[in-house]
């Protein structure tokens, strides 16, 4: 009698990876699929092999594996449902309690099912059929996703044409001195809120760090706000030094999809302009969304070897193993790696433009003030942990700036800037409007040679490179109105940019003359 080939453990092992990939194709490349998929299949194979030796029954072993993996990956929705549930004053939805209990259930329940003397052959066939349907569904979703991504090539061609036209005006730019060109650093500290918000809302005085920056020669824009409240809008805008609705108008579209925003950040005006001026382009990979890599950089510092990709982090965090915090440890390791790589830039002979998006002090909170891993928290509403992360981040920034300034043969140009402010889960504790807190940012400039005199307290990211190119390369860019754009229809899913969904909140030009 021919034995049926047992497939369902592998189908159910592969499904979470394929499902997550199909839902995040705009942010994940096909190469990122290989490692987690192989890892999940290997875990299923090894677990099945061990259980088959113990149970002496392939069918029972396979069902045990499939049910166990299904329960493990059902943890996230269960946690979401129980997150706010309290029984007799006991919060049952806390990771520290729920994760061990759910892990035990993921072992006990399958054990009960397979150890009873039931005929499990038909159940095994059902699981194979169900797993096949899930895999086929995810495969079709992925295939349709690739078709959609291929359609976005039209945008890439449009963007290449648009940026080519804009680059024509940069042909006359020239380094304005007879001295060597300086290295240029654009360091984005994700969600680093402005000092006055830190003091008023988080009760933390950040003046020591700001005084350090000023003591080193930085100009700190004390009233700066980001032009947009999220990374995927802010960085494409700042690196192309214009507002997104203007690019949408030039491209004759009302929607700039996520994949298009990534192309704008990757193939940006500042990157192209400085490469035209003889600069190398060094790119420090953040591992997140819009800044996960660059096809145009001369030097790419990838994610730290041994760290988890964003897809792998989401996968692990969907299970009770989140409690062990492998994702947080991986992110912490990568943050430290990025700062170590920044210190290598002065050793590069050719003048270098360095782009570094460091997703910190943005959650997850992986640093206490002494650099250790803090307790498990996830949101900006945990004010103490946000402040702790800011304190240690300040130390990392200070050490890095000290090294860059002391090791550079020519005084460098440095912009340290947040892409947006904070956005807690609850606004009830904040005295300011949401749009204000989410866009009040740290924004500091090291412009050597007295070139910082034209900077002003309300300068926003859209004008950062306009001022830099005007001051150092003889450009004649108009300084745009510093404006804040925010959802016109309340909070939304921040992905595609819709012209009608994001509108002008306020202009900041009343502060333009504050530094005179």
């Amino acid at each position: 009698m021919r034995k049926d080939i047992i497939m369902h453990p592998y189908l159910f092992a592969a499904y979470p990876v394929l499902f997550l990939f199909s839902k995040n194709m705009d942010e994940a490349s096909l190469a990122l699929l290989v490692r987690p998929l192989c890892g999940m299949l290997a875990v299923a194979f090894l677990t099945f092999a061990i259980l088959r030796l113990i149970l002496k029954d392939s069918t029972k072993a396979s069902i045990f594996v499939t049910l166990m993996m299904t329960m493990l990956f059902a943890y996230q929705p269960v946690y979401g449902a129980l997150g706010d549930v309290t029984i007799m004053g006991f919060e049952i939805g806390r990771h520290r309690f729920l994760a061990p209990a759910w892990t035990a259930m993921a072992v006990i329940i399958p054990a009960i099912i397979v150890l009873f003397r039931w005929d499990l052959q038909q159940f095994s066939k059902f699981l194979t059929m169900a797993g096949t349907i899930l895999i086929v569904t995810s495969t079709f979703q992925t295939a349709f996703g690739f078709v959609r991504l291929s359609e976005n090539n039209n945008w890439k061609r449009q963007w290449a044409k648009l940026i080519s036209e804009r680059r024509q005006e940069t042909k006359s730019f020239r380094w304005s001195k007879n001295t060597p060109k300086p290295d240029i650093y654009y360091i984005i500290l994700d969600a680093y809120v402005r000092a006055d918000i830190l003091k008023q809302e988080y009760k933390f005085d950040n003046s020591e760090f700001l005084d350090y920056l000023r003591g080193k020669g930085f100009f700190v824009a004390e009233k700066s706000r980001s032009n947009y409240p999220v990374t995927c809008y802010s960085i494409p805008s700042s690196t192309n030094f214009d507002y997104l609705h203007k690019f949408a108008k030039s491209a004759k579209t009302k929607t700039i999809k996520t994949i298009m925003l990534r192309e704008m950040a990757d193939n940006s005006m500042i990157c192209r302009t400085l490469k035209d001026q003889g600069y190398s382009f060094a790119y420090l990979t953040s591992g997140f969304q819009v800044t996960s890599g660059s096809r145009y950089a001369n030097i790419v510092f990838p994610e730290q070897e041994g760290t988890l990709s964003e897809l792998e982090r989401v996968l692990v965090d969907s299970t009770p193993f989140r409690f062990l915090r492998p994702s947080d440890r991986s992110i912490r390791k990568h943050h430290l790696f990025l700062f170590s790589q920044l210190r290598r830039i002065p050793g590069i002979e050719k003048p270098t433009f360095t782009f570094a998006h460091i997703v910190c002090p943005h959650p997850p909170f992986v640093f206490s003030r002494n650099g250790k891993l803090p307790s498990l928290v996830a949101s900006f509403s945990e004010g103490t942990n946000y402040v702790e992360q800011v304190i240690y981040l300040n130390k990392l920034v200070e050490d890095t700036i000290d090294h860059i300034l002391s090791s550079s043969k020519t005084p460098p140009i440095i912009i340290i800037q947040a892409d947006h402010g904070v956005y807690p889960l609850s606004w009830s504790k904040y005295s300011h409007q949401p749009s204000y807190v989410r866009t009040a940012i740290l924004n500091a400039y090291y412009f050597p040679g007295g070139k910082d005199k034209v900077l002003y307290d309300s300068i926003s990211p859209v004008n950062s490179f306009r001022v830099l190119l005007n001051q150092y390369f003889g450009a004649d860019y108009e300084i745009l109105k510093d404006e804040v754009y925010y959802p016109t229809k309340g909070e939304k899913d921040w992905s595609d940019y819709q012209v009608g969904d994001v509108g002008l909140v306020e202009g900041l030009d009343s502060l333009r003359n504050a530094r005179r």
Side-chain angles (χ1 to χ4, degrees), residues 61-328:
S62 65
I63 291 174
F64 193 111
V65 173
T66 296
L67 294 180
M68 182 179 66
M69 298 192 79
T70 301
M71 288 197 66
L72 289 176
F73 281 99
Y75 176 76
Q76 186 61 35
V78 171
Y79 170 74
L82 298 178
D84 297 324
V85 176
T86 301
I87 299 178
M88 299 179 65
F90 184 75
E91 297 181 43
I92 63 173
R94 299 293 294 270
H95 282 300
R96 69 186 67 178
F97 307 125
L98 185 60
W102 192 257
T103 302
M105 291 172 61
V107 175
I108 294 171
I109 291 176
I112 292 173
I113 292 174
V114 302
L115 291 178
F116 273 92
R117 294 182 178 179
W118 296 334
D119 181 7
L120 298 174
Q121 292 294 335
Q122 293 302 315
F123 188 42
S124 180
K125 291 179 180 179
F126 168 77
L127 290 176
T128 299
M129 183 182 298
T132 301
I133 292 172
L134 291 174
I135 293 296
V136 169
T137 302
S138 288
T139 301
F140 272 111
Q141 289 175 335
T142 302
F144 285 128
F146 278 119
V147 172
R148 178 171 50 83
L149 291 180
S150 67
E151 293 173 351
N152 289 331
N153 287 332
N154 292 329
W155 165 260
K156 290 185 178 182
R157 286 190 289 270
Q158 277 185 296
W159 178 248
K161 181 180 179 182
L162 179 60
I163 201 171
S164 177
E165 292 172 353
R166 290 201 169 202
R167 283 171 66 195
Q168 294 303 314
E169 65 192 48
T170 71
K171 297 297 184 183
S172 61
F173 292 2
R174 291 291 182 271
W175 172 241
S176 57
K177 297 182 179 181
N178 294 322
T179 57
K181 295 174 183 175
D183 290 335
I184 300 174
Y185 296 82
Y186 187 33
I187 302 172
I188 301 171
L189 303 179
D190 202 301
Y192 198 126
V193 76
R194 210 171 59 202
D196 57 325
I197 302 297
L198 269 173
K199 190 169 186 177
Q200 294 168 19
E201 308 294 356
Y202 288 95
K203 311 306 178 186
F204 175 68
D205 186 351
N206 203 30
S207 59
E208 182 178 346
F209 177 61
L210 300 188
D211 288 344
Y212 162 82
L213 291 175
R214 294 188 184 100
K216 290 293 180 179
F218 280 81
F219 170 76
V220 179
E222 295 183 351
K223 301 296 181 182
S224 182
R225 292 176 65 183
S226 62
N227 306 106
Y228 300 93
V230 285
T231 304
C232 59
Y233 297 173
S234 287
I235 293 179
S237 172
S238 65
T239 54
N240 291 287
F241 29 100
D242 214 335
Y243 293 103
L244 295 182
H245 65 271
K246 294 184 180 180
F247 293 116
K249 182 178 180 180
S250 298
K252 299 179 180 179
T253 182
K254 291 188 176 181
T255 302
I256 305 179
K257 294 185 177 294
T258 302
I259 191 69
M260 303 173 183
L261 293 167
R262 287 188 63 180
E263 180 68 11
M264 292 176 68
D266 188 9
N267 188 16
S268 66
M269 269 294 291
I270 191 58
C271 157
R272 291 297 193 173
T273 299
L274 293 175
K275 288 183 76 173
D276 289 343
Q277 295 297 315
Y279 275 77
S280 288
F281 178 27
Y283 193 97
L284 277 68
T285 303
S286 72
F288 287 85
Q289 296 183 348
V290 75
T291 56
S292 59
S294 174
R295 294 178 291 116
Y296 300 93
N298 305 103
I299 307 165
V300 177
F301 295 98
E303 290 189 69
Q304 166 75 321
E305 187 175 341
T307 57
L308 300 174
S309 69
E310 187 170 13
L311 183 64
E312 291 165 340
R313 291 194 293 268
V314 173
L315 198 65
V316 171
D317 286 347
S318 301
T319 73
F321 300 120
R322 175 181 181 177
F323 180 67
L324 301 176
R325 307 185 69 186
S327 295
D328 289 352

